[in-house]
């Protein structure tokens, strides 16, 4: 019987200029029992979208960093354009929506695993961006999307997003354990 090695992922952010990378480290883990997968691979492989998004005034770097405790002191010096964090959220939300349509949401939940996006150009509030995406690669429970976004002048975003159709009960159990640990810490404090 062959020996199999199983891994669990630990994430950390690496930020450089306007490029954001979320990198996964692979750590040893005990094998998990096999569960039935409901993700429709054929339909996921055919996902392709094109849509528009108009940048609201409250999603600029200046607006976002004003609300963060460590960003208040320099937020006013930032440019008044879409914050990279919001760009990531917009892209990820569209990809999740598309993949969510192809799973059994009572059994699975779509979660982000890896994001690599280059924020290639400034996007002012009120600007409309055109987002294009398609599935480039499929795994047993994952899909990697290629993403491009343009404003009226240039390519403003280029990258890849990998999502996983995770077992809902397992994810909810992990979250419950963490919440219980937080509550125990609050009681002790």
């Amino acid at each position: 019987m062959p020996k199999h090695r199983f891994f669990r992922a630990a994430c950390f952010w690496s930020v450089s200029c306007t490029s954001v990378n979320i990198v996964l480290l692979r750590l040893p883990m005990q094998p998990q029992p096999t569960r039935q997968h409901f993700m429709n691979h054929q339909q996921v492989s055919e996902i392709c979208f094109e849509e528009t998004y108009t940048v609201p005034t409250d999603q600029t770097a200046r607006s976002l960093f004003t609300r963060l405790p460590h960003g208040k002191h320099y937020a006013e010096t930032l440019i008044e354009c879409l914050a990279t964090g919001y760009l990531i959220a917009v892209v990820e939300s569209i990809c999740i929506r598309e993949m969510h349509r192809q799973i059994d949401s009572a059994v699975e939940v779509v979660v982000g695993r890896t994001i690599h996006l280059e924020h290639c150009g400034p996007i002012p509030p009120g600007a409309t961006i055109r987002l294009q995406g398609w599935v480039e690669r499929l795994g047993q429970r994952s899909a990697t999307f290629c993403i491009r976004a343009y404003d009226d002048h240039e390519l403003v975003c280029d990258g890849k997003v990998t999502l996983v159709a995770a077992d809902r009960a397992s994810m909810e159990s992990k979250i419950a354990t963490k919440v219980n640990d937080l509550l125990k810490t609050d009681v002790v404090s």
Side-chain angles (χ1 to χ4, degrees), residues 5-164:
R5 296 188 70 138
F6 293 86
F7 297 91
R8 84 185 134 110
C11 296
F12 70 89
W13 286 77
S14 168
V15 179
S16 169
C17 296
T18 57
S19 178
V20 176
N21 297 299
I22 299 174
V23 181
L24 297 176
L25 301 175
R26 295 172 103 48
L27 306 171
M29 184 173 117
Q30 294 300 316
Q32 297 294 312
T34 304
R35 293 188 175 93
Q36 186 174 4
H37 306 300
F38 294 95
M39 183 175 88
N40 185 326
H41 284 78
Q42 179 63 38
Q43 289 180 342
V44 170
S45 71
E46 296 171 358
I47 292 174
C48 179
F49 61 84
E50 183 167 332
E51 63 183 83
T52 60
Y53 181 77
T54 302
V55 178
T57 57
D58 66 340
Q59 291 185 355
T60 65
R62 190 177 296 166
S63 175
L64 173 63
F65 283 77
T66 299
R67 293 185 300 243
L68 297 173
H70 53 275
K72 290 179 183 179
H73 303 294
Y74 60 85
E76 288 304 315
T77 67
L78 299 176
I79 60 173
E80 198 62 17
C81 284
L82 181 65
T84 303
Y86 282 119
L87 179 60
I88 291 169
V90 169
V91 168
E92 184 182 30
S93 70
I94 294 169
C95 293
I96 286 176
R97 180 198 65 204
E98 294 299 317
M99 192 165 159
H100 184 264
R101 294 173 175 166
Q102 310 307 328
I103 65 164
D104 179 348
S105 61
V107 180
E108 295 175 308
V109 60
V110 179
V111 296
R113 181 172 66 193
T114 308
I115 297 174
H116 174 79
L117 290 178
E118 292 201 35
H119 193 161
C120 308
I123 313 163
T128 299
I129 56 175
R130 295 178 320 282
L131 296 117
Q132 301 171 339
W134 61 93
V135 171
E136 176 187 65
R137 187 174 344 136
L138 281 177
Q140 184 177 359
R141 298 187 76 166
S142 65
T144 299
F145 290 79
C146 285
I147 304 295
R148 292 205 177 98
Y150 301 85
D151 66 7
D152 289 338
H153 304 278
E154 63 184 334
L155 175 71
V156 293
C157 176
D158 187 26
K160 296 180 189 277
V161 174
T162 300
L163 304 175
V164 175

